[in-house]
Amino acid sequence: MTSTTGLTLDVAIESLPLAKPFRISGHVFTEAPVVIVTVSDGIHIGRGEAAGVYYLGDDVPAMTAAIEDARAAVEAGITRDGLQNLLPAGGARNAIDCALWELGARRSDTPVHELADLPAPRPLRTTFTLGADDPEVMAAGARDFVQARALKLKLTGDLDLDIARVDAVRAARPECWIGVDANQGFAIGELDRLIAALVAADVKLLEQPLARGREADLDGYSSPIPLAADESVLTLADIDGVVGRFDVVNIKLDKCGGLTEGLAMARRARELGLGVMVGNMVSSSLAMAPAFIVGQLCDIVDLDGPIFLAADRTPSIEYRDGDAWCSEAIWGRG
């Protein structure tokens, strides 16, 4: 691996305002606080953006403290492999790891996908997410996503209301692929009724129906639609344990701690016969670009985070006819 000896590390904190409040089970977001890490060798720079993991207390103060703890090692020339051992999974490692990937691409004049042993990237069909709201509001939002070919609906755990939400969106967009994200909102005893309604509405994916820690409740449970693990799978170490309980793993770089582990997770999931999904926290195109690399290995892609921002970075991810495209001008070799 290319030496990174003699680096400088800079940290910036930004608050990215949302265009409107975004609601999921148990949370309403009005802004996206993020940490930006920049590493430089005096000629080339690398950048990484992290939003952290709100439900784990991995917020801006925690991320910045972890980055400062790692500063000396990073500036002394840590490798990506060394970073895996230095910091635990989370936003701090994600930001530094992505910055090191970009720095390596720029120093070697090599695209990140080649460094990752992947073929040239292709545009990816992405879901467009509807925050939990009144059914009529969500149906209107689905119609407003004119270019969307895939939709993801946030649910709250209110079973009757959630079913009405699904039915309203399906009526508004009968042609779209639809998945739903329960965000840990349900108990095992509620799944039969929920899933029956999802099947009737031709929903293709149910993400994280139960709370993290309740995975064993799914032992022996058979669902006619795939179940995806999000909060139940944070890192590579969690993947083997979901076999027989979930069908798909949702990889997010803030959860797993960067592109290095995200790629390892996708490859391990494939080895185990699991489906692979890439997701995101609400953040800018700078965070989407490394996730786009992971997306090249995925069956389901959810890289719509920047659409919720009042303003994205420039250059930015492009959404065309339901697909997402990240050029190297956003992040990478440049």
Side-chain angles (χ1 to χ4, degrees):
M1 185 174 293
T2 303
S3 171
T4 53
T5 302
L7 299 181
T8 59
L9 182 152
D10 292 315
V11 183
I13 298 169
E14 298 182 16
S15 183
L16 308 177
L18 304 191
K20 60 182 180 180
F22 183 75
R23 184 183 178 202
I24 65 171
S25 178
H27 297 274
V28 178
F29 301 92
T30 59
E31 61 181 8
V34 298
V35 171
I36 312 297
V37 163
T38 303
V39 293
S40 173
D41 62 5
I43 300 173
H44 307 93
I45 68 166
R47 301 158 299 146
E49 176 183 305
V53 187
Y54 69 92
Y55 54 84
L56 297 177
D58 186 31
D59 55 12
V60 166
M63 288 188 285
T64 53
I67 292 166
E68 290 304 325
D69 286 344
R71 176 182 291 278
V74 173
E75 294 189 335
I78 199 166
T79 64
R80 294 193 301 271
D81 289 341
L83 181 67
Q84 292 292 104
N85 297 319
L86 179 67
L87 286 179
R93 194 175 77 190
N94 178 30
I96 298 172
D97 182 68
C98 291
L100 292 176
W101 274 95
E102 183 176 55
L103 179 66
R106 293 185 173 187
R107 295 178 82 173
S108 64
D109 193 27
T110 305
V112 171
H113 73 265
E114 290 187 14
L115 295 179
D117 294 322
L118 292 173
R122 68 194 190 282
L124 300 173
R125 177 61 45 89
T126 184
T127 61
F128 289 80
T129 305
L130 293 162
D133 210 322
D134 292 335
E136 298 79 9
V137 174
M138 294 179 71
R143 287 188 290 267
D144 287 342
F145 284 141
V146 175
Q147 69 159 305
R149 302 294 176 263
L151 296 169
K152 187 168 88 167
L153 284 57
K154 293 288 189 177
L155 307 183
T156 62
D158 184 329
L159 189 52
D160 290 330
L161 181 55
D162 284 336
I163 290 171
R165 287 164 168 151
V166 171
D167 289 343
V169 172
R170 172 52 77 200
R173 295 298 300 271
E175 81 287 5
C176 277
W177 182 98
I178 293 178
V180 300
D181 184 358
N183 278 113
Q184 310 182 75
F186 294 92
I188 188 68
E190 299 173 295
L191 288 196
D192 284 348
R193 185 176 167 217
L194 172 65
I195 289 173
L198 299 182
V199 170
D202 193 27
V203 171
K204 302 299 188 183
L205 185 76
L206 171 57
E207 186 178 346
Q208 197 64 41
L210 308 183
R212 177 173 169 82
R214 303 296 306 189
E215 292 80 14
D217 291 354
L218 291 170
D219 288 344
Y221 188 82
S222 179
S223 172
I225 61 175
L227 303 181
D230 181 359
E231 288 87 349
S232 290
V233 174
L234 303 180
T235 70
L236 180 62
D238 296 322
I239 291 204
D240 287 39
V242 306
V243 174
R245 296 172 175 175
F246 294 93
D247 308 288
V248 178
V249 295
N250 186 354
I251 299 168
K252 295 178 179 175
L253 300 192
D254 275 303
K255 288 191 306 180
C256 72
L259 178 57
T260 300
E261 182 133 345
L263 291 168
M265 290 177 72
R267 287 166 171 147
R268 179 57 179 161
R270 288 282 185 220
E271 291 173 357
L272 295 172
L274 294 166
V276 189
M277 176 179 181
V278 65
N280 67 101
M281 303 300 184
V282 176
S283 45
S284 81
S285 289
L286 182 57
M288 296 305 106
F292 179 76
I293 299 296
V294 176
Q296 303 301 313
L297 295 170
C298 293
D299 308 291
I300 302 167
V301 173
D302 175 25
L303 294 181
D304 64 347
I307 71 172
F308 300 102
L309 301 179
D312 192 11
R313 304 186 192 279
T314 301
S316 58
I317 187 171
E318 298 177 43
Y319 298 105
R320 299 177 181 174
D321 194 30
D323 291 346
W325 171 253
C326 281
S327 74
E328 287 188 278
I330 298 171
W331 175 89
R333 182 175 54 169

